[in-house]
Amino acid sequence: MDFVTLNNGIKMPQEGFGVFQVPDGNVTEQAVMDAIDSGYRLIDTAAAYMNEEAVGRAIAKKIADGTVKREDLFITTKLWVQDAGYEATKKAFELSLKKLGLDYLDLYLIHQPMGDYYGSWRAMEELYGAKKIRAIGVSNMYPHVLADFCVHVKVIPAVNQVELHPFFQQADALATMKEFGVVPEAWGPFAEGKHGIFKNPLLLDIADKYGKSATQVILRWNVQRGVVVIPKSTHKERMEQNIAIWDFQLSDEDMAQISQLDIGHSEIVNHFDPNFVKFVSGMKIHE
């Protein structure tokens, strides 16, 4: 496993395990335990995923049985739009920490740049200064939003988690992140299965060359671009396959060929659609 160094000097595993759309309860709990057993040390959840408590139970069990120590893990959760703003963010943070059963977070992200996210950031800067969070970051910030944000805050985000996969490569976004020293992290690294990504002829040809799977090539391609990846699965054998990407390297030719798959836009979500913004802004995760 490789690590990336965040702009505050903290080291973050370059591959982790995501739990978006994994049902709360025993399914999430077992999946996270299996992931930790498979070697994952970065676990990514969010208040809006409604499974923080199950993630917390899994972490507690794996610490209790001696598989890992708390300091070996890198735990991320996210602030939902409903809780944007200075005071609301502090309350939401404490609630997430309680649900996860933790004394501190490794990374706390603004889930969507909507509502009073500048107020949220001021609260997060204070929590970071108080060492309740080791690093703070954002998610779903397109280049123009990230640039505006970075020039107006005291603490530059350590991470920007955005959609990144072969069909939506976001080279301009990566360039902006590099300019400001923000590490890119990929959600939806498999494009949620769209475009027949697992059976793409080019990806299968490259995979065959290395004796790997298409999924392993997809993940390897992103990490070679300096991107942190957080693939999701509830099947332990797939978790083990997804983490087995550190014993090979794609050639420059492979990388160039994969770059030709980019269609230049998302087919998962359109953050520029006013109806999407209204929907997300109205989504409540608690009373």
Side-chain angles (χ1 to χ4, degrees), residues 119-178:
S120 294
W121 194 253
R122 289 196 298 275
M124 290 166 64
E125 287 177 329
E126 289 184 10
L127 291 164
Y128 170 67
K131 300 189 184 304
K132 297 286 284 183
I133 315 170
R134 297 178 70 218
I136 53 178
V138 296
S139 184
N140 296 303
M141 277 197 177
Y142 281 88
H144 64 293
V145 179
L146 182 66
D148 176 69
F149 192 71
C150 286
V151 299
H152 288 106
V153 296
K154 292 180 181 178
V155 178
I156 299 294
V159 171
N160 184 19
Q161 187 180 120
V162 298
E163 181 185 350
L164 292 167
H165 51 75
F167 301 121
F168 190 35
Q169 301 184 14
Q170 297 216 66
D172 56 342
L174 295 186
T176 300
M177 289 184 230
K178 184 176 181 180

Side-chain angles (χ1 to χ4, degrees), residues 234-245:
T234 56
H235 303 285
K236 191 174 183 183
E237 64 274 14
R238 292 179 188 165
M239 296 178 196
E240 293 170 346
Q241 182 183 79
N242 288 340
I243 205 171
I245 63 169

Side-chain angles (χ1 to χ4, degrees), residues 165 167 188-199 268:
H165 51 75
F167 301 121
F190 299 136
E192 296 189 349
K194 296 183 184 298
H195 278 282
I197 191 168
F198 302 123
K199 296 182 179 180
I268 297 174

Side-chain angles (χ1 to χ4, degrees), residues 4-24:
V4 294
T5 301
L6 304 182
N7 56 22
N8 64 354
I10 297 296
K11 291 192 179 299
M12 176 182 183
Q14 202 175 353
E15 184 173 10
F17 182 73
V19 296
F20 177 52
Q21 294 179 332
V22 179
D24 190 22

Side-chain angles (χ1 to χ4, degrees), residues 264-277:
H265 63 270
S266 172
E267 292 194 339
I268 297 174
V269 62
N270 182 3
H271 285 89
F272 300 97
D273 180 358
N275 289 323
F276 173 78
V277 174

Side-chain angles (χ1 to χ4, degrees), residues 29-228:
E29 187 176 331
Q30 187 61 54
V32 173
M33 289 193 293
D34 286 344
I36 293 173
D37 286 340
S38 299
Y40 293 87
R41 295 296 178 261
L42 162 59
I43 308 296
D44 179 277
T45 185
Y49 299 170
M50 308 299 285
N51 55 20
E52 288 174 314
E53 289 175 307
V55 170
R57 289 195 302 270
I59 291 168
K61 287 181 179 179
K62 288 288 102 182
I63 291 174
D65 72 11
T67 302
V68 290
K69 297 177 181 178
R70 170 62 183 95
E71 57 267 29
D72 297 329
L73 298 172
F74 194 99
I75 310 301
T76 302
T77 193
K78 309 178 190 75
L79 174 79
W80 186 241
V81 180
Q82 181 183 0
D83 295 313
Y86 180 82
E87 292 295 343
T89 294
K90 288 199 168 183
K91 292 178 182 177
F93 169 78
E94 292 298 339
L95 181 58
S96 285
L97 207 60
K98 181 179 179 181
K99 286 184 175 181
L100 288 162
L102 301 176
D103 296 324
Y104 67 92
L105 281 177
D106 297 280
L107 179 64
Y108 196 40
L109 304 178
I110 290 176
H111 204 149
Q112 298 280 355
M114 299 178 190
D116 182 17
Y117 59 91
Y118 276 93
S120 294
W121 194 253
R122 289 196 298 275
M124 290 166 64
E125 287 177 329
E126 289 184 10
L127 291 164
Y128 170 67
K131 300 189 184 304
K132 297 286 284 183
I133 315 170
R134 297 178 70 218
I136 53 178
V138 296
S139 184
N140 296 303
M141 277 197 177
Y142 281 88
H144 64 293
V145 179
L146 182 66
D148 176 69
F149 192 71
C150 286
V151 299
H152 288 106
V153 296
K154 292 180 181 178
V155 178
I156 299 294
V159 171
N160 184 19
Q161 187 180 120
V162 298
E163 181 185 350
L164 292 167
H165 51 75
F167 301 121
F168 190 35
Q169 301 184 14
Q170 297 216 66
D172 56 342
L174 295 186
T176 300
M177 289 184 230
K178 184 176 181 180
E179 177 185 351
F180 288 101
V182 180
V183 168
E185 184 175 22
W187 65 255
F190 299 136
E192 296 189 349
K194 296 183 184 298
H195 278 282
I197 191 168
F198 302 123
K199 296 182 179 180
N200 180 273
L202 172 62
L203 297 175
L204 288 174
D205 283 347
I206 294 174
D208 185 61
K209 181 168 64 172
Y210 296 100
K212 293 290 183 176
S213 67
T215 55
Q216 290 169 320
V217 167
I218 293 163
L219 295 172
R220 184 70 207 178
W221 164 81
N222 242 336
V223 301
Q224 285 186 210
R225 301 198 305 157
V227 175
V228 175

